[in-house]
């Protein structure tokens, strides 16, 4: 059972599967969890699979472009983040979130892509939209007395399709202990024979990886999965990221945060690879199915947690 603000309860049932465990999760809550939207959409599992060899987490879910309750705080700070009606009308109902690891920095690399009906229209609208978003980020950082020293706005932004204020914004809004100050907001429109994608990322290399995979995997005739969301998580990669990133932990200090992160990383590593899908019959009801491929034998006494 859960307390405020979620309230309600979650049940989990486990059984042995062919390659590990299968889990069924059912939740009934008083308020919508995680800002998710109810309903179903025909989602492209091939796109999720195309990123499994690189991503820590990749998830495809339905999205109509309308800001959710979870977006309220962000929009209050940077109102420009709300897309105009013409951009929302061009959306095809599918959003892909892909999290990877930065090569140069310990923080995660995040990319989010929205499928569009008309790629050429999306490209023109995306550049115009992002010019206003970058101006909003600049306004926020200047109001807080900080500003990135990297070039942004005007010709620099148009040439690179990026603005460096994202890192300063993250430091100011989330706090420097999250270690996201090297993030750079960058974007690209991927035009395909079946429409395209508007892609946004916090790292240029990851933007390129995700854009390439979307371009190659988007127009398959493979039957789609009708669900609220589908996805994949690689436990060992997630564990490696946590050990390297250490958000909120202080360097050289053995505190509860660092101990907790290390414990979570150990669990994720043992968990192995997880594929999942979920359905929401209403904003407060969730049913999820997970296929778990542990990297260890769960019935081996050597792999049991200490003390239990």
């Amino acid at each position: 059972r859960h307390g405020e603000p979620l309230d309600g309860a979650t049940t989990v049932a486990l059984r042995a599967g062919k390659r590990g465990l299968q889990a069924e999760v059912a939740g009934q809550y008083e308020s919508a969890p995680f800002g998710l939207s109810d309903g179903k959409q025909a989602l492209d599992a091939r796109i999720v699979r195309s990123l499994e060899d690189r991503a820590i987490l990749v998830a495809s879910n339905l999205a109509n472009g309308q800001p959710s309750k979870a977006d309220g705080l962000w929009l209050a700070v940077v109102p420009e983040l709300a897309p105009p009606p013409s951009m929302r009308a061009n959306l095809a109902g599918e959003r892909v979130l892909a999290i990877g690891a930065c090569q140069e920095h310990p923080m995660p690399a995040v990319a989010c892509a929205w499928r569009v009906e008309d790629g050429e229209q999306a490209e023109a609208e995306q550049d115009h939209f992002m010019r206003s978003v970058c101006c909003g980020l600049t306004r926020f950082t200047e109001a807080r007395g900080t500003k990135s020293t990297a070039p942004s706005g005007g010709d620099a932004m148009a040439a690179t399709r990026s603005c460096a204020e994202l890192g300063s914004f993250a430091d100011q809004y989330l706090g420097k202990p999250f270690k996201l100050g090297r993030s750079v907001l960058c974007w690209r429109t991927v035009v395909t024979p079946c429409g395209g994608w508007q892609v946004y990322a916090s790292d240029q290399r990851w933007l390129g990886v995700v854009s390439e995979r979307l371009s190659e995997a988007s127009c398959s005739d493979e039957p789609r999965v009708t669900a609220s969301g589908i996805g994949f998580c690689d436990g060992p990669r997630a564990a490696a990221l946590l050990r390297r990133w250490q958000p909120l932990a202080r360097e050289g200090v053995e505190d509860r945060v660092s101990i907790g992160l290390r414990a979570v990383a150990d669990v994720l590593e043992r968990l192995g690879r997880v594929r999942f899908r979920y359905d929401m019959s209403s904003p407060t009801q969730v049913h999820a199915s997970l296929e778990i491929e542990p990297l260890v034998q769960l019935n081996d006494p050597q792999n049991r947690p200490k003390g239990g």
Side-chain angles (χ1 to χ4, degrees), residues 11-25:
T11 61
V12 181
L14 294 172
R15 66 177 183 271
K18 292 181 179 180
R19 293 182 292 182
L21 293 174
Q22 291 185 331
E24 298 291 330
V25 182

Side-chain angles (χ1 to χ4, degrees), residues 83-95:
S86 60
M87 288 185 71
R88 294 201 301 268
N90 193 26
L91 297 180
E94 183 177 10
R95 173 178 54 194

Side-chain angles (χ1 to χ4, degrees), residues 141-204:
T141 54
E142 288 180 341
R144 294 296 186 95
T146 61
K147 194 175 189 305
S148 172
T149 57
S152 64
D155 294 339
M157 187 196 74
T160 62
R161 286 190 169 176
S162 67
C163 57
E165 278 76 15
L166 180 61
S168 298
F169 175 82
D171 277 350
Q172 287 292 319
Y173 194 80
L174 299 175
K176 291 185 178 181
F178 274 96
K179 305 171 186 174
L180 297 174
R182 300 295 185 92
S183 301
V184 176
L185 181 57
C186 48
W187 62 92
R188 179 181 298 173
T189 298
V190 177
V191 180
T192 68
C194 54
W197 297 84
Q198 289 180 323
V199 192
Y200 306 87
S202 63
D203 176 83
Q204 287 280 8

